[in-house]
């Protein structure tokens, strides 16, 4: 069963890319208010998925939890990074 990334992981991915909420809103096609709600944990699953897809297009990889380790994010290599501040 699919489990979307947590609000904390989504925010961490945005910050790791150096994006503010406006930049992520622009990339995802959502409003800044919706990005805020996603990061607060008060948004529809469809919005969470749009944020996840936008971050993945920028090179973020979401890593699932295992029996021995928690979930996390993997950043793109600097040389391969497609994002701009």
């Amino acid at each position: 069963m699919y489990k979307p990334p947590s609000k904390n992981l989504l925010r961490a991915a945005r910050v790791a890319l150096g994006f503010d909420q406006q930049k992520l809103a622009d990339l995802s096609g959502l409003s800044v208010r919706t990005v805020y709600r996603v990061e607060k944990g008060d948004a529809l699953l469809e919005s969470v998925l749009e944020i996840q897809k936008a971050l993945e297009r920028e090179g973020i990889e979401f890593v699932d939890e295992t029996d021995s380790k928690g979930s996390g994010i993997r950043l793109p290599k600097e040389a391969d990074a497609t994002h701009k501040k």
Side-chain angles (χ1 to χ4, degrees):
M1 183 174 175
Y2 171 75
K3 182 178 177 186
S6 71
K7 63 182 182 179
N8 293 330
L9 279 181
L10 293 169
R11 182 177 188 283
R14 174 182 62 77
V15 170
L17 290 172
F19 295 166
D20 59 17
Q21 288 181 337
Q22 181 64 60
K23 173 79 173 179
L24 186 52
D26 293 343
L27 291 170
S28 65
L30 301 172
S31 70
V32 175
R33 175 80 176 141
T34 301
V35 172
Y36 169 80
R37 290 178 64 121
V38 167
E39 291 183 357
K40 187 179 172 192
D42 185 29
L44 297 174
L45 178 59
E46 292 80 11
S47 299
V48 173
L49 295 176
E50 288 304 317
I51 296 291
Q52 179 183 358
K53 288 190 286 187
L55 292 166
E56 288 174 340
R57 286 192 298 269
E58 296 299 314
I60 292 290
E61 181 181 339
F62 291 95
V63 181
D64 292 333
E65 182 176 318
T66 66
D67 289 337
S68 61
K69 296 184 181 184
S71 58
I73 58 171
R74 184 172 295 139
L75 304 174
K77 287 184 180 179
E78 281 299 316
D80 296 337
T82 58
H83 65 277
K84 303 276 188 267
K85 286 189 179 182

